[in-house]
Amino acid sequence: MRVLIPEDWTRVGRIDPTEKLELTFALRQQNVDQLEHLLLLVSDPKSAQYGKHLTLQEVAALVRPSQLTQKVVRHWLQSHGVTDCQTILTQDFLQCTMNTQVAEALLPGIEFHRYVRDGISLVRSSSAYHVHEDVLQHLDFVGGVHRFPPKGQDLNEVLTKRRRSGAKFHLGNTPATLRSRYNLTAADVGSAQNNSQAVAQFLEQFYHPADLAEFMTLFGRSFQHLSKIDRVVGVQGAGKAGLEASLDVEYIMSTGANIPTWVFTNPGRHETQEPFLQWMLLLSNMTDIPWVHTISYGDDEDSLSSAYMMRINTEFMKAGVRGISILFASGDSGAGCRHLTKGENSFRPSFPASSPYVTTVGGTSFKNPFKVTYEVTDYISGGGFSNVFKMPDYQVGAVEGYLKAVPGLPPKTYFNTSGRAYPDIAALSDNYWVVTDRVPIPWVSGTSASTPVVGGILSLINDQRFLKGLPSLGFLNPRLYQLQGQGLFDVTDGCHLSCLDEQVQGQGFCAAPSWDPVTGWGTPNYPALLAALVLEK
């Protein structure tokens, strides 16, 4: 069996047998069903356990691999001479260093090669590995072998497309625009002592402190704010600032204003590391982390193994049950398009956007680009239905209502009507002003813009909850769907893009009253959403 290598990666040669590699072993956890049950209880306002989040130590005691699993995996590694291993607090991951020859003996079938793209070098195998069945039942996957990082959304490319589309003039989205549209006043800033928020950055993306300071000087004068990151977890790369990273930091800190903000950054200490996986491990190894995390990262579902995605879902559950809110961008390809055999197509959902255990954020545009007015669908806003995860109970009523009420849906051969549907919520996603390398740049667009905006607003709501002695929002979706649009501006106009073929002619799903798979429940009306989410039960 061969593993599909993305076309934009070039193989440059076999790895020397003595070269060191670092692989991550995901040990099979215990009580995953109980973890999911607890997550839904602590996230449901109708439950007596609502808001009674677990500590990391309690999570570890629940899911920690059995003694047998730990013994079998460690014995297997040691029998191949692998002894340089580190674990984490929950003991469900091992990160081990070994040379290439040992790795290829440990995982028969693999051959490590070096691949390059845009100056980035990775070590991966294009062939599948085999693990003895006695060990296989104790492992979910081995990281650092197959998965290539997805090519990040080129925000400069989006900028160019916007200009070509004929939208030559635009008001432009700034903190003032967003705060006006979502009804944030100058007084709506953080003040609680125990509040914090975070962005996570991968794919060689880094922010520069000077850009953040310049951005706040230009756009943050009308409200109290912070101009410095509270903590960087990981190593910031050198060189030019990344547009994506600058966008994330500047807008979570200007929406969630005056709230301490962390940046998780991981370019990968080694060519076999997977930065996204490294971030997930950090969440399970830190007892004190921010309450809201926003991430602009995604992969096509069909490019990932089910075992990998299921395990990542468990990691999201581990975070949610601790009271942490995790937000992912829904993507910038509309419904997506997968070209199947015999000239047939289907929509292409994205992961982690399709995970049932995160809150996924779509995108909107102003109907009138010259006024702060009502919003319509941004045609790039990612959305659709998972082909892997079943529709969670918390959204069945809303999604079935959409499928029954909306005429002219795409053919059912294009999407899975029983899958987890996304996004859950949305915000403006086009024509942002961003400062990068000390220069203000307009036209920056994508759901990587809307996600930190929603994250900042949720951080402000957490702030008010903390001041009233209430717990953090945690996993938002069960409560969000119970609100049925309360506290949100419903977006009912516009469709997003999809396959360019005769059947759907480039159109995916369309917005509609209440929930829809383009903008979710709509965009935040801060005072109303605050009232809905601060009042208990």
Side-chain angles (χ1 to χ4, degrees):
M1 175 184 169
R2 305 298 292 178
V3 176
L4 185 65
I5 304 299
E7 293 179 358
D8 52 342
W9 287 93
T10 303
R11 191 166 82 179
V12 294
R14 194 87 156 78
I15 299 302
D16 187 283
T18 62
E19 187 163 335
K20 292 288 187 181
L21 306 178
E22 184 179 277
L23 302 181
T24 302
F25 299 86
L27 280 65
R28 188 69 51 85
Q29 298 152 314
Q30 299 188 96
N31 305 315
V32 174
D33 289 345
Q34 188 179 345
L35 174 68
E36 181 181 33
H37 180 66
L38 279 172
L39 172 66
L40 295 175
L41 286 178
V42 300
S43 308
D44 182 356
K46 296 178 181 178
S47 163
Q49 288 182 249
Y50 177 68
K52 296 179 181 178
H53 301 126
L54 274 61
T55 65
L56 179 57
Q57 288 74 17
E58 289 170 332
V59 172
L62 182 65
V63 304
R64 184 181 295 126
S66 68
Q67 290 294 323
L68 177 62
T69 289
Q70 295 184 57
K71 183 178 179 180
V72 167
V73 174
R74 285 187 179 274
H75 181 267
W76 170 62
L77 292 168
Q78 290 166 2
S79 70
H80 285 81
V82 179
T83 57
D84 184 5
C85 295
Q86 305 293 323
T87 190
I88 59 174
L89 281 171
T90 48
Q91 298 180 0
D92 44 7
F93 284 100
L94 282 173
Q95 289 188 290
C96 302
T97 302
M98 67 203 76
N99 66 35
T100 303
Q101 184 175 7
V102 169
E104 291 181 349
L106 184 71
L107 303 169
I110 61 170
E111 286 186 0
F112 283 104
H113 293 82
R114 180 165 281 107
Y115 295 83
V116 295
R117 182 190 73 187
D118 300 334
I120 302 170
S121 175
L122 288 181
V123 172
R124 293 290 188 270
S125 172
S126 62
S127 53
Y129 61 81
H130 305 283
V131 176
H132 192 279
E133 60 182 19
D134 291 343
V135 178
L136 186 61
Q137 62 182 312
H138 298 286
L139 281 178
D140 286 330
F141 67 84
V142 181
V145 178
H146 292 143
R147 279 174 300 282
F148 285 75
K151 191 168 181 65
Q153 171 74 0
D154 187 338
L155 296 177
N156 288 305
E157 190 177 301
V158 173
L159 183 156
T160 302
K161 287 179 181 177
R162 296 281 184 179
R163 285 172 173 164
R164 288 175 180 168
S165 71
K168 298 188 183 300
F169 301 100
H170 194 282
L171 178 68
N173 283 321
T174 66
T177 313
L178 295 164
R179 293 177 75 85
S180 173
R181 170 56 185 160
Y182 299 135
N183 291 322
L184 292 161
T185 70
D188 292 318
V189 297
S191 60
Q193 293 297 309
N194 57 338
N195 199 9
S196 57
Q197 58 191 0
V199 297
Q201 299 169 354
F202 319 112
L203 308 177
E204 302 298 314
Q205 283 285 329
F206 314 109
Y207 92 99
H208 278 186
D211 292 338
L212 175 59
E214 181 72 10
F215 179 85
M216 289 302 186
T217 298
L218 291 172
F219 299 114
R221 294 181 179 179
S222 63
F223 53 91
Q224 188 177 353
H225 61 266
L226 300 173
S227 296
K228 292 182 179 179
I229 289 292
D230 194 59
R231 182 175 175 185
V232 175
V233 181
V235 180
Q236 277 273 101
K240 293 178 66 176
L243 195 56
E244 174 96 45
S246 302
L247 172 69
D248 290 348
V249 168
E250 289 164 10
Y251 279 92
I252 196 170
M253 291 187 70
S254 56
T255 309
N258 213 45
I259 294 173
T261 302
W262 294 21
V263 171
F264 285 80
T265 178
N266 192 327
R269 295 192 308 273
H270 193 280
E271 291 170 304
T272 49
Q273 277 198 344
E274 299 178 33
F276 175 71
L277 191 56
Q278 291 299 117
W279 170 73
M280 296 258 44
L281 266 64
L282 282 171
L283 294 188
S284 286
N285 207 34
M286 300 177 72
T287 55
D288 180 23
I289 56 176
W291 298 108
V292 173
H293 294 248
T294 76
I295 305 99
S296 304
Y297 177 92
D299 239 326
D300 296 326
E301 263 190 0
D302 56 85
S303 73
L304 302 168
S305 72
S306 293
Y308 173 80
M309 290 187 283
M310 294 294 187
R311 175 55 184 265
I312 295 300
N313 274 346
T314 304
E315 300 308 304
F316 293 146
M317 286 191 270
K318 284 163 61 180
V321 81
R322 294 170 62 191
I324 298 164
S325 302
I326 296 184
L327 280 64
F328 272 91
S330 69
D332 299 336
S333 301
C337 187
R338 186 182 183 192
H339 304 294
L340 306 174
T341 56
K342 300 178 183 178
E344 296 178 348
N345 295 322
S346 71
F347 295 157
R348 196 170 205 174
S350 174
F351 180 84
S354 64
S355 169
Y357 308 105
V358 303
T359 299
T360 305
V361 184
T364 62
S365 304
F366 280 125
K367 175 69 172 177
N368 183 338
F370 305 106
K371 291 183 179 180
V372 178
T373 180
Y374 76 93
E375 296 159 74
V376 297
T377 293
D378 187 345
Y379 70 93
I380 66 170
S381 178
F385 295 76
S386 173
N387 289 321
V388 178
F389 312 114
K390 70 179 183 68
M391 190 180 299
D393 290 344
Y394 63 72
Q395 69 169 186
V396 168
V399 179
E400 287 185 347
Y402 174 85
L403 293 175
K404 290 175 183 176
V406 175
L409 288 171
K412 291 185 178 179
T413 54
Y414 279 73
F415 66 102
N416 174 24
T417 57
S418 61
R420 161 25 172 175
Y422 69 96
D424 306 299
I425 195 169
L428 287 159
S429 57
D430 74 330
N431 299 314
Y432 277 60
W433 282 90
V434 176
V435 173
T436 187
D437 292 315
R438 302 296 296 272
V439 178
I441 298 174
W443 302 90
V444 179
S445 302
T447 53
S448 50
S450 54
T451 306
V453 168
V454 173
I457 287 174
L458 294 183
S459 290
L460 288 177
I461 294 172
N462 267 342
D463 208 83
Q464 291 300 308
R465 289 178 62 85
F466 295 155
L467 292 173
K468 294 180 181 295
L470 300 173
S472 63
L473 288 169
F475 177 45
L476 182 64
N477 290 11
R479 188 165 195 178
L480 181 65
Y481 281 80
Q482 286 179 23
L483 290 177
Q484 297 186 333
Q486 182 183 348
L488 300 163
F489 294 116
D490 196 5
V491 180
T492 60
D493 188 3
C495 308
H496 65 182
L497 53 83
S498 72
C499 301
L500 282 170
D501 60 26
E502 289 186 10
Q503 284 211 72
V504 295
Q505 299 179 28
Q507 181 173 293
F509 299 99
C510 295
S514 296
W515 181 90
D516 61 69
V518 190
T519 61
W521 284 104
T523 63
N525 178 4
Y526 176 70
L529 189 60
L530 175 68
L533 292 176
V534 168
L535 293 174
E536 287 288 71
K537 298 198 176 179

